[in-house]
Amino acid sequence: AVAVFTGKANCPYYAKAEHLADYLQANLPNFRVHKITQHPDKWEQWLHDICETNGWEHRQSPIVWRELLDRGGKGQLLGGLNEFLEYAQQYYGITSMMLSEEMLGVAQENLQTHLETVKEDEEIKSLIKPVQIWITSASGPVCYQLIPLLANGEVFGMTTEISIHLLDSDQFKEVLCSIVMEAEDMAFPLLRSISQHTEIDEAFIEADIIIVLDDVSLNLEVQSLENYIREVSEICQVYAPLIEKNAKSEVRVISSGKTFANLKATMIMTYGPSIKPENIIAVATSWESAAKAMLARKLNMSTAGVKDVIVWGNISGSNYIDLSHGKLHGYDSAIWGPANFQRPLLNMIYDREWIHSEFLSAQSSLSSRVGRCTGMLPAHAVATVLQYWYHASPPEEIVSVGVLSEGQFCIPTGIIFSMPVRFQNGNWEVIKELEIDGTTQEVLGRLAHELIQEKLVALKEIEEIHPY
């Protein structure tokens, strides 16, 4: 059996009981002690709960009981200090001669030790605190595909636990519940918890990462483009203040989706001015991946060998797929080289008519491919960018991401614009040294004008609804 001693950390009576218990444990081979101290502010509630659980009546510190380890079941209550002294005298013929002054001194030492232990525990817990990830519009297929990618350890590392919070409107409560249950059933070792949320006021609490998947179903025969822009802006005007209020100061916000990816990031930045601008990005990887796949099929090679295809501008609107810096690794041709040998992409595509008519012509077939995605490609795109953000992108490779323009490549400031970046040391930087020709510069100017107009429409619509 083991004797359990618990009491207020600064209680002199607990100090006396503890002193006698230590003596008995040191001198009796079968007497074992387990001690629990509670902070004085938490003692009353803890005592109430333990007595209610076990059906005991006890109102002061300390409380002592015996537990039969080999039999299980609830413990046998001995009582407080007086009852324990009587128990020790009756069974072992031993009592405590500790004086009141000694009791007070030990009680103060106990309190100090307790506070230090609690502080150490909190520091240790902070080191293993899971990454808090919030996903909006979580009932959709992108979120469903994204959860396993986040939870398998490849994005954040095999020693980093995560907690996932699924946010959507109340009408999708049952869908969210099903997703939560399925994720729990998969028993990912690194998934500390997964939960559903339909109350908007609870959104983004303690968030480290927020993945915004909200989309609108564009049908310009039913509504004007301005109405859709207004709808997106209103969503962001709700999200941004909640992110400022509830999320961590270093929160990272990722905008994805088939529509208005740039605008969502811009509006969250506009209505959440305290959110660090460099921590708000829009994901262009779906377009990048789909473009590389089309090129690889044309060249009859592996998609993984196509590098440095750049997506400029409005990710889910008018964008420009730039092949001028593209490179091929492992291309089967008459010229061979070492493992890192690369060939300029445009030198290997002799069918320039195909580039202009099939590939670059409003990206018609490319747009169709990205638009038909049911979740796997955009989910992989979000997971890839997160992995790069936390662990760095492949060296010497270009990644396209929608970031806040600060005048790079003569792009006007104040808009989220997709451009070439590299990730390293937990941050990203625009690859400013990249040379672009006059034709590309002209295209970037047109794309920037479109994004500026989109932002102005969004701000105008919001101002009309909520005049300042």
Side-chain angles (χ1 to χ4, degrees):
V2 62
V4 182
F5 292 77
T6 183
K8 285 191 292 186
N10 64 345
C11 173
Y13 302 108
Y14 170 74
K16 186 168 185 174
E18 176 194 35
H19 181 265
L20 177 57
D22 287 342
Y23 179 84
L24 292 174
Q25 181 170 248
N27 290 278
L28 299 173
N30 295 320
F31 189 91
R32 284 178 287 169
V33 175
H34 178 64
K35 293 181 283 188
I36 305 171
T37 55
Q38 294 293 333
H39 191 281
D41 294 342
K42 298 180 179 180
W43 166 254
E44 294 295 338
Q45 185 61 50
W46 188 90
L47 179 62
H48 173 271
D49 293 344
I50 196 74
C51 288
E52 189 174 82
T53 300
N54 290 281
W56 295 334
E57 284 288 338
H58 192 83
R59 302 187 182 280
Q60 59 190 10
S61 172
I63 180 172
V64 184
W65 69 86
R66 294 174 69 243
E67 288 183 353
L68 301 176
L69 296 182
D70 58 339
R71 297 186 185 179
K74 71 178 184 178
Q76 177 187 359
L77 179 65
L78 295 180
L81 173 63
N82 291 335
E83 288 79 9
F84 175 59
L85 292 175
E86 184 179 335
Y87 171 84
Q89 179 69 51
Q90 181 178 346
Y91 280 89
Y92 307 113
I94 299 172
T95 189
S96 173
M97 304 302 293
M98 181 183 275
L99 302 175
S100 298
E101 188 175 338
E102 291 179 278
M103 290 163 57
L104 291 171
V106 173
Q108 287 305 310
E109 290 177 8
N110 282 345
L111 178 59
Q112 187 62 34
T113 301
H114 175 79
L115 294 175
E116 290 173 359
T117 302
V118 169
K119 184 179 179 181
E120 287 176 7
D121 289 345
E122 288 176 351
E123 289 175 353
I124 292 171
K125 287 178 181 177
S126 70
L127 295 175
I128 59 172
K129 194 171 184 180
V131 175
Q132 303 291 329
I133 304 169
W134 284 77
I135 306 175
T136 71
S137 286
S139 63
V142 177
C143 176
Y144 185 80
Q145 300 281 354
L146 181 58
I147 290 171
L149 300 179
L150 297 177
N152 68 12
E154 292 183 9
V155 173
F156 302 104
M158 298 306 294
T159 59
T160 303
E161 292 188 340
I162 65 171
S163 288
I164 297 177
H165 305 266
L166 308 179
L167 177 67
D168 215 319
S169 58
D170 194 60
Q171 70 184 97
F172 296 109
K173 195 169 185 177
E174 289 188 10
V175 177
L176 295 182
C177 183
S178 298
I179 296 173
V180 167
M181 291 177 65
E182 190 168 350
E184 289 174 341
D185 289 345
M186 293 180 77
F188 293 105
L190 297 174
L191 183 58
R192 174 81 68 86
S193 65
I194 181 166
S195 57
Q196 63 183 59
H197 304 266
T198 55
E199 295 293 332
I200 191 63
D201 292 340
E202 300 175 358
F204 314 129
I205 292 175
E206 291 297 300
D208 292 295
I209 297 167
I210 297 170
I211 302 168
V212 180
L213 299 180
D214 297 71
D215 253 328
V216 293
S217 299
L218 281 179
N219 186 344
L220 297 180
E221 294 179 2
V222 176
Q223 280 195 77
S224 67
L225 185 63
E226 288 77 11
N227 283 340
Y228 287 115
I229 290 175
R230 180 178 63 189
E231 187 178 330
V232 170
S233 300
E234 287 178 329
I235 291 169
C236 295
Q237 197 180 30
V238 172
Y239 285 167
L242 287 169
I243 295 172
E244 290 185 302
K245 176 185 174 185
N246 294 338
K248 292 178 183 171
S249 60
E250 296 291 329
V251 64
R252 298 179 181 187
V253 182
I254 295 176
S255 173
S256 183
K258 296 180 182 178
T259 57
F260 301 110
N262 293 53
L263 181 63
K264 285 183 291 188
T266 301
M267 288 296 99
I268 288 172
M269 193 176 294
T270 301
Y271 293 110
S274 70
I275 307 168
K276 292 187 175 182
E278 64 270 24
N279 282 2
I280 303 175
I281 66 173
V283 175
T285 319
S286 292
W287 285 88
E288 198 178 279
S289 299
K292 290 176 179 178
M294 277 190 69
L295 293 163
R297 280 190 291 273
K298 179 69 175 175
L299 293 164
N300 194 28
M301 64 176 292
S302 167
T303 303
V306 184
K307 309 290 185 183
D308 298 350
V309 173
I310 303 172
V311 181
W312 294 96
N314 191 355
I315 295 164
S316 49
S318 296
N319 58 47
Y320 171 57
I321 309 298
D322 182 1
L323 307 183
S324 61
H325 303 276
K327 301 177 182 66
L328 303 179
H329 290 254
Y331 180 61
D332 188 8
S333 68
I335 301 175
W336 285 82
N340 61 348
F341 178 68
Q342 58 191 28
R343 309 287 301 277
L345 187 153
L346 289 178
N347 287 2
M348 300 298 102
I349 300 181
Y350 303 105
D351 188 355
R352 295 305 172 93
E353 180 62 30
W354 175 84
I355 293 177
H356 292 285
S357 62
E358 296 294 326
F359 190 81
L360 292 179
S361 177
Q363 287 87 49
S364 55
S365 56
L366 194 58
S367 297
S368 176
R369 293 188 65 83
V370 176
R372 290 199 305 269
C373 293
T374 56
M376 193 183 302
L377 179 59
H380 179 264
V382 171
T384 299
V385 168
L386 270 173
Q387 184 179 17
Y388 291 167
W389 208 346
Y390 275 79
H391 299 291
S393 52
E396 307 302 322
E397 283 191 30
I398 293 172
V399 181
S400 302
V401 176
V403 298
L404 179 64
S405 170
E406 296 178 345
Q408 306 95 330
F409 308 108
C410 299
I411 299 165
T413 60
I415 53 173
I416 295 288
F417 196 94
S418 181
M419 59 183 83
V421 307
R422 64 171 65 92
F423 289 90
Q424 56 187 6
N425 301 321
N427 300 303
W428 54 263
E429 62 176 358
V430 176
I431 306 176
K432 298 176 184 177
E433 64 271 20
L434 205 67
E435 293 184 7
I436 57 174
D437 58 29
T439 303
T440 301
Q441 189 68 69
E442 185 181 336
V443 172
L444 299 191
R446 291 200 304 269
L447 297 177
H449 177 74
E450 178 184 291
L451 282 167
I452 290 169
Q453 292 303 116
E454 193 175 82
K455 180 180 177 180
L456 290 173
V457 169
L459 292 172
K460 178 176 179 291
E461 294 289 353
I462 287 291
E463 199 166 313
E464 288 176 355
I465 299 167
H466 308 289
Y468 296 107

